[in-house]
């Protein structure tokens, strides 16, 4: 597909404690590479990738493909809760919530990240995928798969064990998140819940698609789904 053309611009945000592998995960997803000596990228806070999304049609066959321009936002340096603001979460339509399978504390932080999300995201139940990262380091594992699954189930979100080092489940996680987002967009006929930053290829953003009245209902928790 040519550079300027896409049907949807979708912004995703990677969250989780410092060191869990957010930057490495995004780098593996967009570039298919891993650098164990990765130094926080200076000056770039998001990565981009184009994907095709095919929704299942009513008859079970694939519908027309949608051209998606994914913007994946990293959160380097903003991991500390107090520095996160509503503005930081604004515009993101889906969240990759990572913890480190070899560091139990990062798993315990997941609850805090979930409450931050519930407070600041576009609605109280935004689309989130939980990732237990560094699954290649099986010998150093501190978090059991069943415990992570149980927590994910409690929050009603999918859980995957991933490795930014060998790429395991990395693209699958993004596919699952994108699928949740696209299905939510389908469900919300008026689309008034869509965050301001969502841009259609014709240059209009979601704010332009709604009336002032509806605009007043755009507060978080009112996504209508
Ligand atoms: N073995 C292994 N190391 C990883 C993985 N993901 C990240 N790392 C390493 O963990 C450290 C922190 O990763 P980074 O991406 O900077 O974490 P961030 O602070 O969440 O962005 C770096 O040394 C990475 O090389 C993984 O899946 N497996
Ligand atoms: Mg980082």
């Amino acid at each position: 597909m040519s550079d300027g053309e896409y049907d949807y611009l979708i912004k995703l945000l990677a969250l989780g404690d410092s060191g869990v592998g957010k930057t490495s995960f995004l780098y593996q997803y967009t570039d298919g590479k891993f650098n164990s000596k990765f130094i926080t990228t200076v000056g770039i806070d998001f990565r981009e990738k184009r994907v095709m999304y095919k929704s299942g049609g009513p008859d079970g066959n694939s519908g027309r493909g949608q051209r998606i321009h994914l913007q994946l936002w990293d959160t380097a340096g903003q991991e500390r809760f107090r520095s996160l603001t509503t503005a930081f979460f604004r515009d993101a339509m889906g969240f990759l919530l990572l913890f480190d399978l070899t560091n139990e504390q990062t798993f315990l932080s997941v609850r805090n990240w979930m409450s931050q999300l519930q407070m600041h995201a576009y609605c109280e139940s935004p689309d989130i995928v939980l990732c237990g990262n560094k699954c290649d380091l099986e010998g150093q594992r501190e978090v059991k798969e069943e415990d992570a699954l149980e927590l994910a189930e409690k929050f009603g979100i999918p859980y995957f064990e991933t490795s930014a080092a060998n790429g395991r489940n990395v693209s699958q996680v993004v596919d699952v998140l994108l699928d949740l987002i696209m299905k939510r967009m389908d469900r919300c006929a008026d689309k008034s819940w869509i965050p301001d930053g969502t841009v259609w290829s014709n240059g209009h953003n979601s704010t332009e698609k709604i009336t002032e009245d509806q605009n007043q209902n755009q507060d978080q928790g009112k996504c209508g789904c």
Side-chain angles (χ1 to χ4, degrees), residues 130-150:
L130 182 64
C131 308
N133 192 40
K134 308 196 188 180
C135 71
D136 56 295
L137 302 176
E138 189 54 44
Q140 296 169 43
R141 179 189 280 265
E142 287 185 7
V143 182
K144 284 192 217 138
E145 184 172 15
E146 64 200 74
D147 292 343
L149 273 169
E150 194 182 309

Side-chain angles (χ1 to χ4, degrees), residues 149-188:
L149 273 169
E150 194 182 309
L151 187 67
E153 201 171 309
K154 184 174 158 272
F155 288 121
I157 61 178
Y159 171 67
F160 287 88
E161 303 218 320
T162 62
S163 169
N166 65 23
R168 179 154 183 254
N169 279 338
V170 167
S171 61
Q172 285 87 335
V173 160
V174 180
D175 288 349
V176 165
L177 184 55
L178 184 58
D179 196 47
L180 288 172
I181 292 168
M182 297 304 282
K183 291 206 165 107
R184 185 190 289 252
M185 296 219 294
D186 261 0
R187 280 202 309 277
C188 300

Side-chain angles (χ1 to χ4, degrees), residues 53-66:
Y53 174 79
K54 285 214 169 195
S55 56
D59 51 3
N61 295 324
S62 289
R64 186 182 77 82
Q66 312 261 33

